[in-house]
């Protein structure tokens, strides 16, 4: 996954639900020096009871902000990790091409 | 039992040159008993395993099963790409924080038993199914037996099962002790900012740790084998905020005395005193008898 163009990532998931798995594993795809290189990473563990009370709340959400300001919010409950990576890379590749042409 | 080496019949061998070596060989064949094929599958120190006994997965399964059976409290966490230096720094900080709980020169048995393990998720969840569903259902054989495998291979939904995908680890406690739990929580999963004065490598490491859940009880010592309960992060935090057992007992006694339950306290205290007196009296009687017997023997 291309993580160079990510400015911030907020990952919230319910650990006890299968739907939360994708968001949780997405958190493990960020590189080890993500925080050191200025990316803002926030991981939120959703409360089991509270999520059950608010019934339609998704089990996993990935909220990303790219360096060009574009925001991406994905409900990952029914997505696979590969799907999420594809969504993120689609915009990152565009940014990479633009950077390459500019400099 | 047929000999392992096939020899031509004696009639065919007559006339052929014989040597000392062949005589020795025939002697060895006569005394040799091939091992029972069922027994030869596994090492003599280990029970027969359904899977290859020398594979890493089987050994991990055994390790995880013994972990699950022997610990009353297990914190499950996710580790997102920690570097080796961050792991070492974090473990060092944890050791130092735990060593501060006991005085100098004292050995803290609880602290020395606290371990951080990084897991193989699929193997662990298989071991957990054995610990939770095979053991209490009167599992007659050991955990890696074919019977255990057959009974637990169907995917029974365990509340912790979705957790063991991805990079997951556990912190294992030998007994439940709120003070130790609080220390571990403060070092590894602080609420808000990390403890001041920590190694920067450890701080950057703990930012990548996410507390997911905890498994409580379900070990042999309490007789609740397989009865593990699942706590989420907020409940673990609540449990770590409890005062230690000594203080809780003190509070209970204080409350009883203030309410007027002094007699109850005295009655509860009287039980161990009575036991001590009875046992001591019995010991005196026994020793008296033994002396009496000794005298009789000397007389005889």
């Amino acid at each position: 996954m291309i993580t160079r163009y990510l400015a911030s990532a907020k990952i919230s998931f319910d650990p006890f639900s299968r739907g939360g798995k994708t968001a949780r594993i997405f958190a493990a795809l960020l590189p080890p020096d993500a925080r050191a290189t200025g990316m803002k990473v926030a991981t939120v563990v959703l409360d089991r009871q509270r999520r059950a009370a608010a019934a339609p709340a998704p089990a996993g959400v990935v909220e990303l902000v790219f360096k060009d300001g574009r925001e991406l919010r994905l409900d990952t409950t029914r997505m696979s990790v590969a799907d999420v990576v594809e969504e993120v890379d689609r915009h990152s590749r565009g940014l990479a091409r633009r950077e390459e042409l500019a400099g | 039992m047929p000999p392992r080496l096939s020899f031509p019949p004696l009639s065919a061998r007559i006339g052929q040159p014989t040597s000392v070596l062949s005589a020795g060989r025939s002697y060895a064949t006569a005394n040799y008993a091939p091992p029972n094929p069922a027994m030869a599958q596994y090492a003599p120190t280990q029970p027969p395993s359904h899977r290859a006994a020398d594979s890493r997965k089987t050994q991990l399964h055994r390790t995880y099963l013994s972990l699950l059976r022997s610990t009353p409290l297990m914190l499950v966490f996710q580790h997102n790409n920690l570097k080796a230096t961050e792991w070492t720094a974090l473990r060092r900080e944890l050791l130092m924080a735990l060593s501060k709980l006991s005085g100098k020169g004292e050995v803290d048995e609880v602290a020395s038993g606290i371990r951080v393990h990084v897991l193989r998720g699929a193997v662990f969840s298989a071991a957990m199914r054995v610990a939770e569903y095979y053991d209490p259902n009167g599992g007659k054989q050991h955990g890696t037996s074919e019977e255990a495998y057959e009974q637990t291979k169907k995917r029974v939904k365990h509340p912790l099962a979705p957790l063991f995908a991805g990079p997951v680890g556990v912190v294992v406690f030998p007994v439940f002790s709120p003070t130790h739990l609080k220390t571990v929580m403060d070092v590894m999963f602080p609420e808000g900012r990390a403890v001041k004065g920590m190694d920067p490598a450890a701080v950057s490491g703990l930012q990548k740790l996410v507390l997911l859940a905890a498994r409580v009880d379900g070990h042999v010592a309490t007789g609740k084998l397989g009865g593990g309960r699942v706590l989420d992060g907020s409940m673990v935090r609540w449990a770590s905020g409890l005062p230690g057992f000594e203080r809780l007992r003190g509070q209970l006694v204080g409350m009883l005395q203030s309410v007027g339950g002094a007699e109850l306290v005295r009655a509860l205290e009287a039980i161990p005193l009575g036991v001590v007196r009875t046992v001591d009296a019995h010991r005196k009687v026994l020793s008296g008898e033994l002396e009496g017997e000794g005298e009789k023997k000397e007389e005889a």
Side-chain angles (χ1 to χ4, degrees):
Chain A
M1 191 175 68
I2 307 167
T3 53
R4 252 187 314 155
Y5 303 103
L6 291 177
S8 85
K10 189 187 175 196
I11 296 145
S12 34
F13 59 86
D14 176 6
F16 294 100
S17 137
R18 290 206 178 273
K21 191 176 124 182
T22 304
R24 194 158 63 76
I25 290 175
F26 180 82
L29 291 181
L30 301 174
D33 58 347
R35 287 172 182 82
T37 51
M39 193 198 293
K40 278 181 192 164
V41 184
T43 336
V44 182
V45 181
L46 298 173
D47 198 69
R48 192 159 44 148
Q49 276 94 25
R50 221 173 289 161
R51 201 182 73 81
V61 178
V62 175
E63 288 167 89
L64 301 170
V65 180
F66 289 89
K67 280 184 181 163
D68 67 338
R70 181 180 159 158
E71 290 179 17
L72 185 67
R73 186 178 188 279
L74 297 168
D75 177 358
T76 59
T77 313
R78 299 203 176 278
M79 291 170 91
S80 74
V81 186
D83 294 342
V84 180
V85 169
E86 201 182 315
E87 290 286 331
V88 176
D89 277 358
R90 185 174 297 143
H91 189 63
S92 296
R93 274 197 304 270
L95 289 181
R97 190 167 303 143
R98 209 175 297 163
E99 194 184 68
E100 202 179 331
L101 290 172
Chain B
M1 197 175 289
R4 196 171 60 144
L5 298 173
S6 61
F7 270 86
L10 193 64
S11 56
R13 277 191 281 156
I14 289 173
Q16 283 180 354
T18 52
S19 68
V20 183
L21 234 180
S22 75
R25 256 187 208 153
S26 68
Y27 178 70
T29 327
N31 273 357
Y32 177 70
N36 185 357
M39 299 281 285
Q41 300 284 322
Y42 56 90
T45 52
Q46 288 179 338
S49 161
H50 177 52
R51 300 292 164 104
D54 56 351
S55 87
R56 181 173 163 76
K57 276 188 187 174
T58 312
Q59 292 306 323
L60 281 176
H61 191 281
R62 283 186 211 280
T63 315
Y64 292 158
L65 204 53
S66 81
L67 265 186
L68 282 161
R69 282 171 178 168
S70 62
T71 178
L73 175 63
M74 189 181 253
L75 303 182
V76 185
F77 63 88
Q78 175 167 353
H79 56 96
N80 294 327
N81 288 327
L82 266 79
K83 292 177 188 169
T85 50
E86 289 168 350
W87 268 124
T88 35
L90 203 58
R91 284 176 199 268
R92 198 191 309 124
E93 289 290 340
L94 190 64
L95 266 180
M96 276 166 64
L98 287 171
S99 67
K100 279 176 193 160
L101 285 181
S102 58
K104 273 188 181 175
E106 292 173 31
V107 180
D108 192 348
E109 292 291 336
V110 182
S112 61
I114 294 175
R115 296 264 184 283
V116 181
H117 291 280
V118 168
L119 299 180
R120 281 279 290 268
V123 182
F124 189 83
S125 66
M128 196 172 61
R129 283 204 300 275
V130 172
E132 297 271 330
Y133 302 119
Y134 180 65
D135 286 349
N137 290 341
K140 295 280 188 295
Q141 294 193 23
H142 56 87
T144 45
S145 63
E146 192 171 350
E147 187 188 289
Y149 168 72
E150 290 294 336
Q151 280 191 22
T152 58
K153 72 177 174 185
K154 281 180 199 159
R155 294 289 161 92
V156 199
K157 275 192 181 172
H158 189 272
L160 278 179
L163 266 74
F164 294 103
V168 177
V170 285
V171 188
V172 180
F173 293 77
V175 289
F176 178 74
S177 153
T179 41
H180 289 86
L181 177 60
K182 187 166 180 5
T183 314
V184 172
M185 291 290 286
D186 283 347
V187 173
M188 289 181 75
F189 315 105
E191 222 172 358
R193 285 180 171 270
V195 186
K196 273 186 183 173
M198 263 176 86
D199 189 351
V203 173
S204 73
L206 67 86
Q207 285 173 342
K208 299 173 193 172
L209 296 182
V210 187
L211 179 68
L212 298 177
R215 181 182 178 274
V216 191
D217 268 346
H219 65 310
V220 183
T222 55
K224 289 180 189 166
L225 191 59
R229 290 202 304 135
V230 176
L231 301 187
D232 58 9
S234 56
M235 282 166 88
V236 177
R237 259 178 230 293
W238 173 79
S240 72
L242 293 173
F245 281 122
E246 293 299 315
R247 258 186 69 194
L248 280 175
R249 278 188 203 119
Q251 278 180 5
L252 184 65
V253 170
M255 197 175 73
L256 283 174
Q257 276 172 345
S258 68
V259 171
E263 279 181 23
L264 179 63
V265 173
R266 220 172 295 136
L268 286 173
E269 276 177 353
I271 294 169
L273 272 178
V275 168
V276 167
R277 274 183 203 141
T278 314
V279 169
D280 198 46
H282 190 59
R283 184 186 59 82
K284 275 174 191 163
V285 169
L286 276 179
S287 63
E289 277 180 5
L290 285 172
E291 280 166 20
E293 276 179 13
E295 285 168 14
K296 275 175 198 168
K297 272 178 191 169
E298 278 168 19
E299 283 169 14

